[in-house]
Amino acid sequence: MKLLTSLILLPMLMLVGCKGQERWISLNFSGPVTHDGRVLPPASARSHESQLANQFEKMGIAPGALKIRRDRDDQSVVHIKMVQGALDAQQQEAIKSYLIGLIESRRHANFRMSLTTDKTAIEEVASKLSMAGMKSLVTFNTLGYFSVNLLDPQSLKPYRPGDTGERAVCAVTLRLQRPTSVSYSSIERIEGAAFSGARKPNVYGEVRSLRPSMPEQLMKVPVLLSIEDADLRRLLNEGRLQVHFQLEPPQRSWGAWAVPMYGVENISFTLTSIDVSDIANPVLRYSRMHQQCTREVATLERPFSFQTGRGLDSLRDAVFWDEP
């Protein structure tokens, strides 16, 4: 029995001894690269192995300096071995820094945003509509994941003007960590306004006066929508995305001097509209359209690429040669 135990432990001890001398990295991705439900082979141009090789070549690493292999037991894991003497210390650290950068970027990506209403605007609303109670700042903290879904374009006006008929809108929906409320019955972007670090209003918030026994009054208020993630701001400014707050109507009556508060539990980003499939089976029809939307979302780059697609942004963690 002791002999058998020794024979089992010997290869493991030899491997541990080798790791101290070799330069190696193990990468854990969120999943293998697939197409039509099948895992792509390492030789495929879209595999993690090929994507890594292309990226390292762009960094000036000679193709023969690295051996990139997929784990035999887990196809989400890729191992990189540095050929002895092929890379200098600076190149080794460059590879390590690049991979750590991917993981850190994924960790810090977020969809945090806030609505700031200028105090002067609040005073103007209170004066014209004889209303009070508006908040000057509302912060939206979203959960760390999102869902891809289909939305009715008619419910997204004025975010998707012109989307009518038998078309559905591809959207990414985020759920808030805690439901909140705003003083606006609708929120729409100011035409030409940018999402940036500048403190200039970029959306209009519509305030509705719903006091009993009086005609309804409306007022548009310029509001600043601040978005923390720079990549998300870029996509919105390029017109590849549009933001939509899914506002729920007030659940109770309000007094003469109060502003109705509309509930917010979800925020959606819409990206494109697609034709409704003519497949008769409703379940299969939705499934096909959902797949199409998922592919569209995967092209959006960061911060969406951290959770969609199977690019290098899907790297979750790594173990390096100098770690225990």
Side-chain angles (χ1 to χ4, degrees), residues 150-223:
L150 303 172
L151 297 178
D152 174 11
Q154 296 301 317
S155 68
L156 295 177
K157 290 181 178 181
Y159 300 91
R160 305 296 309 192
D163 280 341
T164 59
E166 289 296 310
R167 294 181 69 81
V169 175
C170 293
V172 173
T173 300
L174 299 102
R175 181 171 292 275
L176 301 188
Q177 291 179 351
R178 181 179 300 173
T180 186
S181 57
V182 296
S183 307
Y184 304 113
S185 59
S186 69
I187 299 169
E188 61 179 283
R189 185 172 178 178
I190 298 175
E191 186 175 355
F195 296 100
S196 65
R199 306 298 295 176
K200 294 182 179 179
N202 46 27
V203 297
Y204 282 123
E206 184 179 72
V207 179
R208 286 175 176 264
S209 171
L210 303 174
R211 289 177 295 173
S213 305
M214 293 189 67
E216 181 180 77
Q217 292 179 285
L218 302 177
M219 183 174 177
K220 282 190 174 182
V221 180
V223 184

Side-chain angles (χ1 to χ4, degrees), residues 20 30 107 126 148 153 158 163 170 185 195 217 223 240-241 299 307:
S30 60
R107 187 173 297 149
V148 179
D163 280 341
C170 293
S185 59
F195 296 100
Q217 292 179 285
V223 184
R240 297 175 64 186
L241 280 178
T299 68
Q307 298 184 50

Side-chain angles (χ1 to χ4, degrees), residues 35-318:
H35 180 67
D36 290 337
R38 297 184 178 182
V39 177
L40 295 180
S44 170
R46 290 184 292 174
S47 70
H48 286 139
E49 293 89 333
S50 296
Q51 292 183 67
L52 287 166
N54 291 336
Q55 178 59 42
F56 294 144
E57 190 172 350
K58 291 177 183 178
M59 294 167 58
I61 306 298
L66 299 172
K67 293 182 179 179
I68 305 175
R69 300 287 186 270
R70 188 176 303 180
D71 191 273
R72 287 180 295 181
D73 299 321
D74 187 346
Q75 298 199 73
S76 299
V77 175
V78 174
H79 304 289
I80 302 174
K81 180 182 177 182
M82 302 182 185
V83 176
Q84 191 171 3
L87 299 175
D88 58 31
Q90 186 175 359
Q91 289 174 312
Q92 294 175 26
E93 287 303 315
I95 291 173
K96 183 177 181 179
S97 296
Y98 168 74
L99 295 172
I100 290 176
L102 287 177
I103 298 169
E104 288 298 313
S105 296
R106 178 187 178 99
R107 187 173 297 149
H108 292 117
N110 69 86
F111 294 88
R112 180 185 171 94
M113 59 193 77
S114 60
L115 277 175
T116 305
T117 306
D118 186 78
K119 290 183 179 179
T120 302
I122 293 177
E123 292 172 357
E124 186 178 357
V125 171
S127 173
K128 288 187 176 182
L129 303 183
S130 299
M131 302 169 70
M134 289 179 62
K135 296 180 181 179
S136 60
L137 173 65
V138 179
T139 301
F140 303 96
N141 293 310
T142 62
L143 296 175
Y145 65 90
F146 55 76
S147 61
V148 179
N149 58 347
L150 303 172
L151 297 178
D152 174 11
Q154 296 301 317
S155 68
L156 295 177
K157 290 181 178 181
Y159 300 91
R160 305 296 309 192
D163 280 341
T164 59
E166 289 296 310
R167 294 181 69 81
V169 175
C170 293
V172 173
T173 300
L174 299 102
R175 181 171 292 275
L176 301 188
Q177 291 179 351
R178 181 179 300 173
T180 186
S181 57
V182 296
S183 307
Y184 304 113
S185 59
S186 69
I187 299 169
E188 61 179 283
R189 185 172 178 178
I190 298 175
E191 186 175 355
F195 296 100
S196 65
R199 306 298 295 176
K200 294 182 179 179
N202 46 27
V203 297
Y204 282 123
E206 184 179 72
V207 179
R208 286 175 176 264
S209 171
L210 303 174
R211 289 177 295 173
S213 305
M214 293 189 67
E216 181 180 77
Q217 292 179 285
L218 302 177
M219 183 174 177
K220 282 190 174 182
V221 180
V223 184
L224 172 66
L225 175 58
S226 300
I227 298 174
E228 190 167 303
D229 191 276
D231 291 312
L232 185 56
R233 294 199 304 267
R234 173 181 53 80
L235 290 171
L236 289 165
N237 288 329
E238 291 175 355
R240 297 175 64 186
L241 280 178
Q242 297 188 53
V243 63
H244 174 66
F245 289 83
Q246 299 181 19
L247 302 174
E248 300 295 332
Q251 298 299 310
R252 59 186 178 89
S253 59
W254 295 82
W257 300 99
V259 176
M261 303 299 288
Y262 293 79
V264 184
E265 293 185 4
N266 303 294
I267 299 174
S268 289
F269 294 95
T270 60
L271 55 150
T272 188
S273 60
I274 61 174
D275 291 321
V276 175
S277 172
D278 57 1
I279 298 174
N281 186 310
V283 176
L284 182 58
R285 179 169 64 246
Y286 179 86
S287 176
R288 292 285 176 84
M289 294 173 65
H290 189 272
Q291 289 176 14
Q292 183 178 347
C293 284
T294 301
R295 288 193 295 268
E296 293 286 349
V297 174
T299 68
L300 283 178
E301 305 166 6
R302 295 181 177 182
F304 300 94
S305 57
F306 293 118
Q307 298 184 50
T308 58
R310 288 292 182 261
L312 297 183
D313 278 348
S314 65
L315 179 63
R316 295 194 303 187
D317 53 68

